[in-house]
Amino acid sequence: MADTARMDAIASAPPRANRWAIRLGSALIPVAHATGQNIVTVLGLRFMTDSLAISAGTAGLIFALVKIYDGVLDPAVGALSDRVRTPWGRRLPFLLAGGVAMPLGILMLFGAPDMGSVLLAQLFVTLALIIHASGYTLLTIPGFAMVVESSPDPHERTRLMGWRVYGNAAGLLIGTTVPGLILARMGPGRHAHLVMASAIGAVVLLATVLAVRLLARAPRTAPPEHPRPFNLVAQSRLAWLNRPFRILAITHVFLLFGTAIGSAALAYFSRYVLRAPDNWLSGYFLFSTIGMVGSIPGWVVFSRVIGKKSGYIIAMALFGLVNLTWLLAGPGELAAFSNLRGFLSGVAGGGTILCAYAMLSDAVRYDFVCSGERREGVFAGFTTLLDKLSSAAALAAMGAFLSAMGYVSSSMGGPIAQSVQAIHAVAICVAVVPAVSMLAGIMTVSRYQLQPDDLIENALPGEA
């Protein structure tokens, strides 16, 4: 453990002025990746089916394959960011590269030219999604690792996670409301989607550049002197043997499966069940963001009083119950009901994000306490690997389900007639699947037992 004290000294608390720069920089990274991710999560699948005439099953499969590629990329980026040596530290070059790649992928996807061939369109959007997903990985994994290594204080890490939730909320707001407003004003055509993509891409790039500048003086831990060769199987085994991390990772799979399907289905639900214009999405996500941002201080206090685990369970239960109420919605529903659902979903989302990542940071810290090694990137990579695989399974399942239920794709860009079965399938995806997924997550995380005393440096290694 000789290097342990040295490495924690490197990551000691920074001066107050720099501390606020780190907090703001930690928030801007999720602003960038959440903005770029949410536009694709909410509108990407619908754009492919309703504007590029790609079948729902094929579109879901493309998303799934890209997610699998991205998931395999995650541990490699995590391991590389743990061991690389540059004048700017281990993480910042990855962040900057991600801030360039993500906007490029967005522009390619929503600006896809008319190639006169569905097959060529499929290949082009696949390439666009690969570039977009690579940028997302380059932003998220080093960004999460920097939070873990920025402070040995678990309460400061929770505060940083709170700032990341604020950043995610801002990214959610920008990535969902701005596109809806642009499409409502300009129409659902190709040009409007390109304008939308350009605006969102600019936000991603600007937020990343500002974050890199603010984080340039953040505390850094040193890479290992003799790093082990990258081995995906070995890294997966390393992460899996950390029991608290393993439980949280499985819980996160259920959480992401439900939220991925729910988010992707909402654009279909508003169009074909509620029969609302695209600016309905802007209003819904505005209230969702208000709920998320407004609830963070409460979740921070609440999780300290009752524990992060209990807060996580309550947040997942609320999210599942709110989604179930979509089964009661229909055309002509009062906007107040939809806005209330958005607000409560945002409150639940704030709790799940804050508690999940605060608990994950504790589990990664537990590995350092037990091993004396700095492997934040490895664990961040494995976390996002499972996230991507669960999202891949979710989108593939949703696409296959919609196709099986008779959903009809087109190149018109707007709504077309769909069968009753297809509309029922959309309702199931937006309401039932997320609720069942949250229940499975609650059952899994109930087995988590890591305690604050287990995070003290001289605690004995062992499973909690």
Side-chain angles (χ1 to χ4, degrees):
M1 302 285 285
D3 289 339
T4 300
R6 179 181 67 83
M7 289 183 177
D8 251 2
I10 296 173
S12 58
R16 178 175 294 273
N18 198 28
R19 193 181 309 159
W20 282 101
I22 294 169
R23 290 173 180 175
L24 182 56
S26 297
L28 283 172
I29 290 300
V31 167
H33 67 65
T35 298
Q37 183 69 4
N38 276 292
I39 185 177
V40 174
T41 299
V42 175
L43 295 173
L45 195 67
R46 196 186 75 177
F47 177 75
M48 291 167 66
T49 58
D50 290 12
S51 295
L52 301 181
I54 299 174
S55 71
T58 302
L61 180 60
I62 290 172
F63 266 99
L65 292 175
V66 172
K67 289 285 186 182
I68 292 171
Y69 149 80
D70 193 22
V72 174
L73 179 67
D74 290 341
V77 169
L80 188 58
S81 76
D82 277 344
R83 67 189 66 188
V84 73
R85 295 176 183 271
T86 77
W88 306 279
R90 296 191 285 174
R91 319 293 183 186
L92 295 184
F94 292 90
L95 296 178
L96 190 57
V100 173
M102 209 173 190
L104 177 59
I106 294 170
L107 285 170
M108 289 177 62
L109 174 62
F110 292 105
D114 187 357
M115 299 180 175
S117 167
V118 174
L119 177 59
L120 290 177
Q122 292 170 357
L123 293 174
F124 188 85
V125 298
T126 300
L127 176 61
L129 288 171
I130 287 173
I131 295 172
H132 172 269
S134 300
Y136 180 77
T137 293
L138 291 167
L139 280 169
T140 53
I141 294 178
F144 175 74
M146 286 193 75
V147 170
V148 177
E149 67 183 3
S150 289
S151 175
D153 179 7
H155 297 308
E156 178 60 20
R157 290 198 303 273
T158 299
R159 292 187 193 97
L160 288 175
M161 290 301 171
W163 279 83
R164 283 179 61 84
V165 174
Y166 284 128
N168 268 297
L172 171 67
L173 178 65
I174 298 168
T176 54
T177 60
V178 172
L181 292 173
I182 291 175
L183 294 180
R185 183 177 182 84
M186 299 184 64
R190 298 280 191 90
H191 178 67
H193 281 89
L194 180 58
V195 172
M196 171 192 75
S198 300
I200 295 299
V203 172
V204 174
L205 180 60
L206 178 61
T208 303
V209 171
L210 290 175
V212 168
R213 186 174 181 84
L214 288 167
L215 294 172
R217 296 177 60 191
R220 304 168 185 171
T221 54
E225 294 294 334
H226 304 288
R228 301 172 184 174
F230 171 70
N231 186 312
L232 177 59
V233 175
Q235 288 194 10
S236 299
R237 183 175 182 275
L238 169 70
W240 196 252
L241 289 176
N242 182 327
R243 185 172 185 269
F245 182 84
R246 181 171 72 242
I247 291 172
L248 292 174
I250 295 173
T251 303
H252 218 54
V253 166
F254 289 123
L255 176 68
L256 265 293
F257 187 91
T259 55
I261 286 185
S263 296
L266 199 58
Y268 291 95
F269 188 83
S270 64
R271 173 172 285 183
Y272 291 106
V273 177
L274 301 181
R275 300 175 188 172
D278 281 331
N279 58 359
W280 178 93
L281 291 169
S282 300
Y284 174 85
F285 284 110
L286 172 62
F287 279 90
S288 177
T289 305
I290 292 172
M292 180 179 292
V293 173
S295 69
I296 294 305
W299 281 115
V300 171
V301 174
F302 194 49
S303 65
R304 292 191 69 173
V305 173
I306 69 171
K308 300 172 189 176
K309 172 182 169 181
S310 298
Y312 196 10
I313 290 173
I314 291 171
M316 283 192 289
L318 177 61
F319 189 86
L321 290 173
V322 170
N323 274 73
L324 275 178
T325 65
W326 283 122
L327 294 175
L328 304 175
E333 180 185 68
L334 292 176
F337 291 139
S338 295
N339 294 338
L340 178 60
R341 286 191 188 92
F343 179 81
L344 293 176
S345 291
V347 171
T352 57
I353 294 172
L354 176 70
C355 294
Y357 283 99
M359 292 167 73
L360 281 168
S361 74
D362 287 344
V364 176
R365 170 73 181 182
Y366 180 67
D367 171 74
F368 169 62
V369 168
C370 294
S371 68
E373 296 187 38
R374 286 289 186 182
R375 302 184 287 210
E376 296 92 350
V378 170
F379 283 90
F382 190 72
T383 299
T384 53
L385 168 62
L386 292 179
D387 287 355
K388 304 295 174 56
L389 293 179
S390 58
S391 295
L395 294 173
M398 177 179 164
F401 182 52
L402 291 181
S403 286
M405 297 296 283
Y407 186 87
V408 179
S409 299
S410 76
S411 59
M412 301 297 294
I416 63 171
Q418 300 289 346
S419 68
V420 174
Q421 280 188 326
I423 294 175
H424 285 168
V426 169
I428 290 172
C429 289
V430 86
V432 178
V433 174
V436 173
S437 297
M438 296 307 111
L439 177 60
I442 290 170
M443 294 172 64
T444 303
V445 81
S446 63
R447 302 178 63 186
Y448 177 86
Q449 300 296 331
L450 190 63
Q451 300 298 323
D453 288 346
D454 298 318
L455 303 178
I456 299 174
E457 183 180 320
N458 58 1
L460 291 176
E463 290 198 335

